Amino acid sequence: YLTESNIRVGSTTGEHPVISRSGTVLRQVVSHPGEPASRLIWIYAVGMGAFQGMTAILALFLFDRFRIDEKSIGWVFAYIGVLSVLTRALLLGPAVDRYREPRLSRFGQMLLALGLVSLPFATNYVALALAIALIPFGTAFTFPCVTGMLSQVIPDHERGLYMGVQQTFGGIARVIGPIWAGFAFDYLGHGVPFYTGAVLAAGTILLGIGIEAHIPP
C-alpha cells in the first residue's frame, strides 16, 4: 500500500509516470519470462528454492551420513552463516567492482550448483566442509547481484514494486523448495534433492545469458 519513494521521478520534466499494479507485474513475470526483469526474478526465485531445499534437509542428510545430531548440527549452520557474512562483508563489494554483477552472479550460480551436487559425494569431514563452503559463497555472489541488476533494468518509479514482486516469488520458492526436498529425500533417494537443486541452480545460468545488454554501463 506504500507509494514509491522516488519522488524525484518526473519532477524535472513535469511527467507523471503511471505505476503498474502488483498483480499486473506478477502476471507479466509468468506470461513474459523472457523479459529482462522477469528473467532476473526467475533466477532469484529458482536459486532461492534450490538453496532453501538444501537447508531444509541438511540436518537429516548429515545425521544419516555422518551421525551429526541435534547436539552438533548448530556448528554446521554457524559455519555456513559465518562464511556468508564474511563473503558479503569483505569479498562481495570488491568482486562486484572488478567483475560487475552479470559475470559475478554467474560465478555464484556455478558455485551454488557445484556445492549442491558435491554434497552427496562427501565421505569425510574435509570434503564435507569444502562442499558446504561453496554454497554460502554461491548465494552471496548470486542473490545480491541479481537484485542489483533488477534495480537497473526497471523504471525508477517502479523499483519498489519490482523488489516486492521479487520477494513474492522468492517467498513461494522458499515454500516449494523444502517441500520438494523433503519428499525427494524420503521417497526418491537421499541425494536426489541435492542433484535437482544443482540442476536448477545451473539452469539459472542460462536465464542470465545476454542480460548485460539490458544493463546501463
Side-chain angles (χ1 to χ4, degrees):
Y1 296 101
L2 296 175
T3 58
E4 290 290 337
S5 59
N6 193 347
I7 59 176
R8 296 172 297 170
V9 174
S11 61
T12 58
T13 61
E15 297 175 353
H16 298 283
V18 178
I19 299 176
S20 304
R21 293 182 177 273
S22 57
T24 302
V25 177
L26 286 168
R27 289 190 295 271
Q28 186 173 354
V29 172
V30 176
S31 61
H32 297 80
E35 294 185 359
S38 299
R39 287 162 59 188
L40 290 167
I41 290 173
W42 280 115
I43 290 173
Y44 183 91
V46 173
M48 184 62 68
F51 170 65
Q52 293 294 339
M54 179 280 302
T55 303
I57 62 163
L58 183 60
L60 301 176
F61 170 78
L62 293 179
F63 178 76
D64 178 71
R65 179 69 59 87
F66 296 96
R67 286 297 180 259
I68 297 177
D69 57 14
E70 70 277 6
K71 297 178 181 178
S72 52
I73 187 64
W75 292 106
V76 177
F77 284 100
Y79 173 65
I80 296 174
V82 168
L83 286 179
S84 180
V85 170
L86 291 178
T87 304
R88 294 177 188 235
L90 301 178
L91 301 180
L92 180 59
V96 169
D97 291 338
R98 180 170 182 176
Y99 300 109
R100 299 191 69 226
E101 288 95 338
R103 186 177 177 185
L104 186 60
S105 66
R106 284 192 287 270
F107 183 59
Q109 291 159 281
M110 181 183 66
L111 289 178
L112 177 59
L114 288 175
L116 290 172
V117 77
S118 60
L119 262 175
F121 296 99
T123 56
N124 55 67
Y125 286 111
V126 174
L128 177 65
L130 292 175
I132 290 178
L134 294 176
I135 295 173
F137 280 115
T139 57
F141 290 145
T142 298
F143 298 133
C145 289
V146 170
T147 301
M149 287 188 288
L150 179 61
S151 71
Q152 298 177 65
V153 302
I154 56 180
D156 290 344
H157 65 280
E158 292 187 327
R159 187 166 292 151
L161 171 63
Y162 276 86
M163 294 294 103
V165 170
Q166 181 196 54
Q167 292 305 313
T168 297
F169 278 85
I172 295 172
R174 287 180 176 93
V175 175
I176 296 177
I179 290 176
W180 160 252
F183 172 82
F185 187 87
D186 280 343
Y187 298 105
L188 303 179
H190 291 180
V192 173
F194 300 103
Y195 301 143
T196 55
V199 170
L200 290 174
T204 59
I205 299 176
L206 301 177
L207 289 174
I209 293 178
I211 200 68
E212 293 93 335
H214 305 281
I215 297 176

